[in-house]
Amino acid sequence: MDRNSYIPDSPYLTDNLTDHPEELSLILSISKPKRYKAGSLVYVQGEESKPYFYLIEQGKVKISLLSKGGSERIIIIQEKNTLFGYAATFDGHPYFHTATAVEETILRIIHINDFLNLVDKHPKVGLLIVVAFARVTRMLVLQIEAFSFLDAEKRVAHMIYKLAFEIGQKTPRGLLIAKKVTQEDIARLAGLSRVSVSLALNHLEDLDILRKKRNIIEVFDIKKLKDFIGYL
């Protein structure tokens, strides 16, 4: 598996500011911490935007869309050192998604005026927003591509493939997706029912491509998984 040729575009967003330690330190210097309990709403879809955005210092946040009927579609799950909430802050329009703390989480609140003043003094700090926008835009476009051209089983396989590259840990047999990503999470990320995800995972397990156990998935053959998807 060649990680060097992999473009990070999975909907599980981990630390993407490691390559910008100086800029990250500057952002932390103008931010204020706020703690959220698991299940707490940071903001809600349709709510008026606030003059600040967020950096995850500790914990996990899910970004999702909610239908009028109450069903949820997860767009991204984010972890430490990732930014969110900036689009509505910059364009001034209401939030178009909901942000929820998945577990005990500490966020750093960054006021837009403080951020813009910081950018005036240190222009490279602005690159962090550009990097964040680019990462999310690429992910959303490729999600649309997958939904347009893949059936249910291949959409699940595609999601597992992306997660394996992004957060997989090497094992003697392959890659272990050890983060707490449930079948329900995968269903909401892929826009499918939990039953469809379970059936797809069972089929992939029968093909000896992966093994699933509770909230753990181990991919045995990443090439075979890629071939199953077909279009990558």
Side-chain angles (χ1 to χ4, degrees):
M1 183 175 75
D2 185 7
R3 285 183 179 270
N4 293 326
S5 63
Y6 172 69
I7 300 173
D9 57 13
S10 94
Y12 200 109
L13 189 57
T14 55
D15 184 352
N16 63 350
L17 301 180
T18 303
D19 296 333
H20 308 276
E22 183 178 346
E23 291 77 12
L24 176 58
S25 177
L26 288 168
I27 279 193
L28 289 172
S29 72
I30 63 166
S31 65
K32 296 179 180 179
K34 185 173 181 180
R35 188 179 295 272
Y36 290 80
K37 293 181 179 179
S40 298
L41 295 171
V42 181
Y43 54 76
V44 179
Q45 183 176 324
E47 179 184 341
E48 289 297 315
S49 60
K50 302 180 182 74
Y52 48 81
F53 55 100
Y54 306 87
L55 170 72
I56 302 175
E57 182 175 14
Q58 178 184 314
K60 189 184 301 182
V61 171
K62 66 177 178 180
I63 306 298
S64 59
L65 298 175
L66 301 175
S67 72
K68 291 182 179 179
S71 60
E72 180 186 41
R73 166 70 193 284
I74 299 176
I75 306 172
I76 316 172
I77 298 173
Q78 299 192 206
E79 285 194 350
K80 180 180 177 181
N81 286 351
T82 61
L83 297 163
F84 70 95
Y86 44 81
T89 298
F90 279 96
D91 69 20
H93 294 300
Y95 293 108
F96 57 89
H97 56 252
T98 295
T100 309
V102 176
E103 59 191 32
E104 187 82 13
T105 296
I106 300 174
L107 300 180
R108 305 292 299 202
I109 297 175
I110 306 157
H111 197 284
I112 188 170
N113 290 335
D114 294 334
F115 179 76
L116 293 176
N117 289 334
L118 185 64
V119 171
D120 283 340
K121 298 175 184 176
H122 305 276
K124 285 187 177 181
V125 171
L127 286 174
L128 299 186
I129 296 295
V130 175
V131 168
F133 263 117
R135 171 67 167 78
V136 173
T137 299
R138 181 191 302 115
M139 181 208 70
L140 292 175
V141 169
L142 292 176
Q143 277 193 15
I144 292 170
E145 181 183 34
F147 296 156
S148 299
F149 301 115
L150 300 179
D151 60 25
E153 279 196 343
K154 290 184 178 181
R155 277 158 66 181
V156 173
H158 180 259
M159 191 64 62
I160 298 300
Y161 179 84
K162 294 297 182 184
L163 291 171
F165 264 106
E166 196 81 15
I167 59 175
Q169 301 172 6
K170 288 185 178 180
T171 69
R173 288 204 62 183
L175 285 169
L176 183 69
I177 302 172
K179 300 282 186 179
K180 190 177 179 182
V181 182
T182 66
Q183 290 188 30
E184 188 172 353
D185 288 336
I186 294 172
R188 289 175 176 173
L189 285 165
L192 298 167
S193 69
R194 190 182 180 285
V195 172
S196 295
V197 171
S198 181
L199 290 172
L201 290 174
N202 287 340
H203 185 205
L204 293 170
E205 194 167 29
D206 289 343
L207 295 174
D208 202 31
I209 292 175
L210 56 77
R211 172 182 67 91
K212 60 180 176 65
K213 185 178 181 182
R214 294 184 181 178
N215 294 333
I216 294 176
I217 297 173
E218 185 175 13
V219 178
F220 297 141
D221 193 331
I222 197 74
K223 184 180 182 304
K224 194 173 180 180
L225 180 60
K226 182 178 180 180
D227 291 342
F228 179 86
I229 300 166
Y231 89 110
L232 293 174

